[in-house]
Amino acid sequence: AGRPRVGTQSGFRGYVALVAASQALGLGVRAVIGLQVLCAALASIALYGMAWELGGSIAGIVAASLFTFNPEIIRWHSFVLTDSLYISLVILSVWAVHAAAERGGGWYLSASISTLSAAAIRPEGRLLVPVAAFGVILSACSTRQRKWIASACATVILLGAAQFVGIGRPAAADEGAVWLPSVQQGIVIWGDPASRLPMPAATHAIVGAEPVWRETFDYGVQHPWATLKLAGARVGTELLHARRFYSRIHNLTVVAILLPTYVLALLGFARSWPQPLARLLVAVIGLHLLIVAATFANWDGRFLLYILPLIDVFAAVGLSSRFSSRPALSPRPSAG
């Protein structure tokens, strides 16, 4: 309609452009839904490939099935929202980056497209760019010393990318106020005042015009224990995926499924951690949890869905190890 983006829309400009293009071509929003379903299908194949590489064919089938038949993920495919496409792009980005590091060639283009697409449709996706570069740089280093240098450079780039994500925008800005609320408010679940934690007052004045990340950092230095407790509550709430305003049956079902998943995932990671793909998966999972720790847990728990398929890869490896005597450090097929 020619109107400018307002509020938080700037953080999702890639998805806005996708919907606008579909409308302009006369395809309507149904084409967007179709694209989301197609990307989910490709993501299931990528999940099979990742789990197969780490744990064999049984792990591949389990990981792909857990994603394909997860009703919570399925329902997002039918919404004209960023979540379905972002979930799929995170999976495709990880797989393509790993394949590019292992095989090179056209996989570099695939990694670039999937990673930049994820960065364009959600603010969280922007940090996938330095993580992808980090993975490719490390794979290209032949000596331990070079890897340490590359790791240091990538860490600096990753920290600098926080500004690109929007963490450095003024607290008064709409997007900053929504995505990075001050820890002084004790927000655990955004939009749920009952979940807030009591937080101590700042011991000295914090200038409200400062960037939100600097305001949060200053407060964290003043009250490190309270800040860490809040961050842990946010991450724990998101991982638990249960909410006090859900039905008891819903919460019991969620916990009964997720707790064994996490246990199996830890087992799967223990078996596969020497593999570069396993470390890349952990980096992306940890990055998203770090964002939750710094901001808030989501009302409906959808932030967990961005990384749950990656966790399921480890869970599938852990489950398959119960039925296979295959050594944990045995050679894996190369990506692709």
Side-chain angles (χ1 to χ4, degrees):
R3 296 192 297 269
R5 292 182 299 271
V6 297
T8 63
Q9 292 175 354
S10 294
F12 312 93
R13 64 187 67 191
Y15 197 79
V16 173
L18 172 65
V19 175
S22 182
Q23 297 281 43
L25 293 172
L27 301 175
V29 295
R30 290 185 178 181
V32 177
I33 303 300
L35 177 63
Q36 291 175 173
V37 173
L38 174 61
C39 287
L42 295 175
S44 68
I45 297 173
L47 283 171
Y48 175 87
M50 287 189 284
W52 172 71
E53 179 169 337
L54 294 177
S57 58
I58 294 178
I61 293 172
V62 171
S65 299
L66 289 173
F67 171 74
T68 303
F69 301 108
N70 185 327
E72 284 205 86
I73 292 177
I74 290 173
R75 72 189 184 101
W76 290 110
H77 300 333
S78 62
F79 287 96
V80 185
L81 292 170
T82 60
D83 303 282
S84 169
L85 195 55
Y86 184 71
I87 292 169
S88 298
L89 286 173
V90 169
I91 298 168
L92 293 172
S93 175
V94 172
W95 180 232
V97 167
H98 172 65
E102 292 286 317
R103 303 184 63 180
W107 282 106
Y108 284 113
L109 178 60
S110 299
S112 299
I113 293 174
S114 56
T115 303
L116 292 176
S117 296
I121 68 169
R122 284 199 66 84
E124 301 97 320
R126 298 173 191 175
L127 285 181
L128 288 174
V129 177
V131 170
F134 180 46
V136 174
I137 289 172
L138 280 185
S139 68
C141 296
S142 56
T143 65
R144 177 170 294 184
Q145 184 178 9
R146 290 179 181 178
K147 288 188 176 184
W148 277 110
I149 295 174
S151 298
C153 293
T155 300
V156 172
I157 294 172
L158 182 61
L159 293 175
Q163 184 77 16
F164 181 54
V165 174
I167 294 177
R169 296 182 181 179
D174 289 336
E175 186 173 343
V178 171
W179 285 100
L180 286 162
S182 171
V183 295
Q184 297 180 65
Q185 301 174 36
I187 294 174
V188 176
I189 300 175
W190 181 261
D192 181 31
S195 68
R196 291 188 179 186
L197 296 182
M199 300 294 287
T203 55
H204 60 76
I206 298 176
V207 181
E210 291 289 333
V212 180
W213 72 267
R214 192 174 301 169
E215 177 184 336
T216 302
F217 178 80
D218 289 345
Y219 182 84
V221 170
Q222 295 178 31
H223 303 287
W225 171 243
T227 303
L228 288 174
K229 182 180 177 181
L230 176 62
R234 290 167 171 173
V235 172
T237 298
E238 197 65 40
L239 287 174
L240 185 62
H241 207 51
R243 299 290 186 269
R244 62 172 180 78
F245 37 80
Y246 290 168
S247 70
R248 180 176 299 179
I249 293 178
H250 181 95
N251 284 334
L252 289 176
T253 302
V254 166
V255 173
I257 293 173
L258 284 181
L259 287 184
T261 297
Y262 294 149
V263 172
L264 288 171
L266 290 174
L267 176 61
F269 173 69
R271 288 180 57 86
S272 60
W273 70 267
Q275 304 278 352
L277 175 57
R279 294 194 290 270
L280 178 61
L281 287 168
V282 168
V284 175
I285 292 170
L287 173 66
H288 282 81
L289 292 179
L290 182 62
I291 293 173
V292 171
T295 56
F296 51 86
N298 191 258
W299 176 275
D300 53 22
R302 77 178 81 170
F303 292 169
L304 174 63
L305 301 182
Y306 301 160
I307 57 172
L308 184 58
L310 306 185
I311 295 174
D312 285 339
V313 169
F314 287 123
V317 173
L319 181 64
S320 67
S321 69
R322 300 294 86 193
F323 302 98
S324 173
S325 58
R326 186 178 185 180
L329 300 181
S330 60
R332 305 296 188 206
S334 51

